[in-house]
Amino acid sequence: MQRGLLHSAKPWGMYLTRTKRLLSRRLRTPNTRVLGLKTGLIESFGHAHRAETISHTRTIHEQVSYPTDAKAQEQSQRPKTAVVMLNMGGPTDPKDTKAFLTRLFSDNMIINLGRFQFLAPYIAGLRANKVQRQYEEIGGSPIRKWTEYQGKKMCERLDKLSPNTAPHKAYVMFRYADPLTNEALESMKQDGVERAVAFSQYPMYSCTTTGSSLVELWKSLDEMKLRDKFKWSVIDRWNDHPTYISALAQRVRLGLAQIEESLRDQTLIVFSAHSLPQMVVARGDQYQQEVCHTVQLVMRELQYKNRYILSWQSKVGYLPWLEPSTAAVIEHIAPQNGVKSILVVPVAFTSDHIETLYEIDIEYKELAHKSGIEHFKRAPSLNDEPLLIEAQAQIVAQHLSAGRAWASRQYEIKCQGCTNPYCRTVANPVSKP
Ligand code: FES
């Protein structure tokens, strides 16, 4: 019986051995179409041998073909250039307000409490409930939503404008909210990034905003021992880029379109930028002059058809900050000049945030009505403006083709008395500045 069995199995065994030899020879090439043919061949041997031969084919496929495919796939998916979107962030969930404020008040580049810096968490705690209620009223901070949207759209456009450096991938990196610097760096490491552009989402440079984000970035790279992992360059400012100016002018036009035609030319355009302590300006910070320059360029594009004024909002504490405040313009300057219609234009941010959605839309609107301003409107923030996306893509493409470590020579100028070793540096720069 044993002999009979062996005898009857012999021809199948011969076929199988010959087929395996044939397969081994053909399958040296990782060609899935050939593999498919082989599978068909094997299936003709009948049901009893199907499981064994298919599993054998799979083993060969795994040994010969899969690693090559996986490597090719991994390489094709790996971003050639990371564009790191630096911004302050905000609590998407209002419950995260206290943690956000604690980080903000602990940053001595924005709020310098000197030897009382240790009080930062306490001060944050005092303000947390009030600010959390404001975030609840606006449905949480939209900064992350808009930064992710802009980064994705910008990279799609950038892949076309700069195919040599494609694929590009945007990484959101916030200073005070998720995703924080170390989290974004971890994602870049996981993705196998080698070349990175730190792209400030503050168009005007200030040591309190872009400077602080960059210092945090270089420090985190050292702490995480990643200094040599990526080749860096920096886009530190872009307040005068022509497409960015057109994007802002377009948002002003959209704002004016909300006002009835008979009042439109009489409307006072109030450009409102986040304020800054006078002591920061005095030590050489370049933010104020860059905001002023942007406003002039926008008005030139709009052919100076309306009267306009630049004012500053969101002052904190009792020390002197930039003036006039936006509140003072609404309450005093506009009424004194017989203004009945105001259009507030947020300048210096690329998306909506609590200062537009709460401070302007709720607090200043109420103040305007109390001050006899009959028509009060706000120009829409840049958010999803197609010209902004185009500007961002153009700025990065131009920067990449220039091959410089930083975009503006202004980045070389240190503030009076600054001793921070990380200020105005680039970690592991892509080229000499
Ligand atoms: Fe401005 Fe250091 S604080 S360069």
Side-chain angles (χ1 to χ4, degrees):
M1 193 176 154
Q2 280 182 344
R3 197 175 178 277
L5 251 177
L6 269 173
H7 182 76
S8 65
K10 197 174 176 185
W12 289 111
M14 279 168 62
Y15 271 112
L16 194 57
T17 310
R18 226 180 291 154
T19 307
K20 280 179 179 174
R21 215 179 291 137
L22 180 70
L23 275 172
S24 310
R25 235 182 284 139
R26 291 276 191 97
L27 291 176
R28 272 180 205 132
T29 163
N31 183 328
T32 42
R33 200 172 66 83
V34 175
L35 272 172
L37 271 172
K38 295 298 160 274
T39 310
L41 219 170
I42 290 157
E43 277 173 354
S44 71
F45 281 106
H47 190 71
H49 298 283
R50 196 174 290 157
E52 186 200 343
T53 45
I54 286 175
S55 104
H56 177 70
T57 308
R58 280 195 187 128
T59 308
I60 294 168
H61 185 275
E62 279 157 17
Q63 284 169 354
V64 178
S65 174
Y66 180 71
T68 313
D69 285 353
K71 206 171 174 184
Q73 199 183 357
E74 190 195 308
Q75 275 170 355
S76 74
Q77 284 174 350
R78 183 185 293 178
K80 199 165 174 185
T81 312
V83 185
V84 180
M85 316 277 280
L86 302 172
N87 210 335
M88 67 185 300
T92 308
D93 183 341
K95 288 203 280 294
D96 297 332
T97 301
K98 192 173 175 196
F100 166 77
L101 288 179
T102 303
R103 290 187 199 105
L104 181 75
F105 281 94
S106 302
D107 180 2
N108 64 5
M109 289 191 78
I110 192 164
I111 296 164
N112 193 344
L113 299 172
R115 60 199 169 95
F116 298 109
Q117 204 69 40
F118 67 93
L119 291 174
Y122 174 72
I123 299 168
L126 289 179
R127 292 178 60 87
N129 285 347
K130 183 182 163 200
V131 179
Q132 182 170 333
R133 276 196 299 278
Q134 294 175 352
Y135 273 112
E136 278 161 3
E137 217 166 311
I138 63 168
S141 169
I143 298 184
R144 182 170 186 169
K145 177 185 89 173
W146 287 121
T147 311
E148 284 174 349
Y149 172 85
Q150 291 163 1
K152 186 172 177 293
K153 293 285 173 192
M154 173 193 68
C155 284
E156 285 169 13
R157 179 74 181 122
L158 197 48
D159 285 350
K160 294 192 176 75
L161 287 180
S162 180
N164 292 345
T165 52
H168 305 86
K169 183 173 174 185
Y171 293 83
V172 173
M173 185 181 277
F174 286 154
R175 181 70 181 85
Y176 313 115
D178 293 334
L180 292 164
T181 307
N182 52 358
E183 194 185 328
L185 285 173
E186 198 54 53
S187 305
M188 289 165 63
K189 191 176 118 187
Q190 298 295 330
D191 289 352
V193 166
E194 288 170 12
R195 172 75 172 94
V197 178
F199 184 18
S200 173
Q201 294 307 293
Y202 306 99
M204 300 87 185
Y205 186 91
S206 171
C207 288
T208 62
T209 53
T210 304
S212 171
S213 288
L214 288 172
V215 164
E216 182 69 10
L217 171 56
W218 310 143
K219 256 170 75 176
S220 299
L221 284 167
D222 282 348
E223 281 162 16
M224 295 169 77
K225 302 200 181 348
L226 292 176
R227 179 171 263 263
D228 299 327
K229 182 86 185 155
F230 318 106
K231 279 273 178 198
W232 286 96
S233 65
V234 173
I235 301 174
D236 51 305
R237 69 201 74 204
W238 38 289
N239 67 301
D240 58 351
H241 191 276
T243 315
Y244 165 64
I245 298 300
S246 297
L248 266 179
Q250 179 58 15
R251 292 319 241 195
V252 177
R253 286 188 202 99
L254 291 176
L256 286 170
Q258 299 170 47
I259 295 165
E260 64 181 77
E261 217 174 329
S262 60
L263 290 166
R264 212 169 284 161
D265 289 350
Q266 296 308 314
T267 296
L268 176 72
I269 299 176
V270 180
F271 289 95
S272 186
H274 202 291
S275 195
L276 206 58
Q278 285 285 9
M279 61 187 287
V280 174
V281 181
R283 73 182 182 211
D285 197 277
Q286 295 157 21
Y287 172 76
Q288 182 185 18
Q289 68 194 40
E290 293 184 4
V291 175
C292 295
H293 185 46
T294 302
V295 168
Q296 291 303 323
L297 292 173
V298 173
M299 283 312 297
R300 191 170 71 182
E301 182 149 331
L302 296 167
Q303 300 177 326
Y304 296 98
K305 279 190 187 150
N306 287 70
R307 290 175 293 171
Y308 67 98
I309 192 165
L310 169 59
S311 58
W312 310 88
Q313 66 176 94
S314 318
K315 175 182 187 276
V316 184
Y318 298 100
L319 291 171
W321 285 45
L322 289 173
E323 288 185 24
S325 69
T326 305
V329 170
I330 295 167
E331 199 175 2
H332 304 297
I333 300 174
Q336 277 167 22
N337 286 279
V339 170
K340 294 286 176 209
S341 172
I342 280 181
L343 176 72
V344 180
V345 178
V347 68
F349 273 98
T350 49
S351 64
D352 268 318
H353 44 100
I354 195 164
E355 289 84 351
T356 57
L357 299 172
Y358 192 89
E359 200 172 352
I360 298 177
D361 290 357
I362 298 173
E363 291 183 340
Y364 292 164
K365 190 175 182 180
E366 207 178 296
L367 182 65
H369 289 150
K370 280 187 194 154
S371 309
I373 305 295
E374 291 167 14
H375 304 273
F376 181 89
K377 296 285 180 193
R378 174 174 70 82
S381 297
L382 287 167
N383 297 345
D384 57 350
E385 167 59 50
L387 281 169
L388 173 77
I389 308 294
E390 181 61 27
Q392 290 170 318
Q394 286 177 7
I395 288 160
V396 179
Q398 286 157 6
H399 171 73
L400 287 168
S401 74
R404 285 171 51 86
W406 54 64
S408 160
R409 289 212 62 201
Q410 291 297 96
Y411 189 63
E412 295 168 49
I413 303 172
K414 261 198 164 192
C415 296
Q416 181 186 1
C418 173
T419 52
N420 189 331
Y422 286 104
C423 269
R424 309 303 174 112
T425 59
V426 179
N428 200 20
V430 71
S431 69
K432 290 269 177 249

